[in-house]
Amino acid sequence: MATALDRIRGINSQISVLERQISQVEIEVSMLRHIDDDAQRDAAVSENYDDRAAAKMTHADVIRMNKQMSAMERTRDRLVKKRDWLIRRLAAE
C-alpha cells in the first residue's frame, strides 16, 4: 500500500502535468481568439456565406477550448484539495 507521502508525490506529479497542459491550452485559446476576431470581422463586413460559416466554426472552437481548459482547471483544483488534505493528515500523525 502506498504511503501518504507517495500519494502526495503522485498527486504533485499529476498537478504538474495538468499545469503544463493548461498553459498550452491557454496559448491555443489566445491564438484561436485572434483568429475568431478576424473571422467575426470578416463575416460582419462581407456578409458572405463562407465568411459567416467560418466565423461560426472559429467561435465554436473558442468555446470548446475554453470548456476544455475549465475542466482541466477543475481537475487541478480537486487534486490540490486532495493533496492538501493528505498533507494535513500526514502532519497530524
Side-chain angles (χ1 to χ4, degrees), residues 51-65:
D51 289 340
R52 289 193 311 262
K56 284 182 182 180
M57 288 189 330
T58 59
H59 189 67
D61 288 342
V62 170
I63 291 171
R64 179 180 48 81
M65 292 299 285

Side-chain angles (χ1 to χ4, degrees), residues 12-86:
N12 278 340
S13 177
Q14 291 174 344
I15 291 169
S16 178
V17 168
L18 270 171
E19 286 176 347
R20 285 192 302 272
Q21 290 174 343
I22 290 168
S23 178
Q24 182 64 38
V25 170
E26 286 174 342
I27 292 168
E28 291 176 20
V29 167
S30 176
M31 292 186 324
L32 280 173
R33 283 187 185 128
H34 288 296
I35 292 169
D36 184 45
D37 287 344
D38 290 342
Q40 297 301 324
R41 190 171 26 260
D42 290 347
V45 171
S46 74
E47 297 183 11
N48 183 323
Y49 172 79
D50 292 333
D51 289 340
R52 289 193 311 262
K56 284 182 182 180
M57 288 189 330
T58 59
H59 189 67
D61 288 342
V62 170
I63 291 171
R64 179 180 48 81
M65 292 299 285
N66 279 329
K67 285 181 181 180
Q68 179 182 356
M69 187 167 52
S70 293
M72 293 167 82
E73 289 170 340
R74 283 191 305 273
T75 300
R76 181 193 58 203
D77 293 345
R78 182 180 51 80
L79 288 170
V80 167
K81 286 178 185 176
K82 183 176 182 178
R83 178 199 59 196
D84 292 348
W85 178 81
L86 285 169

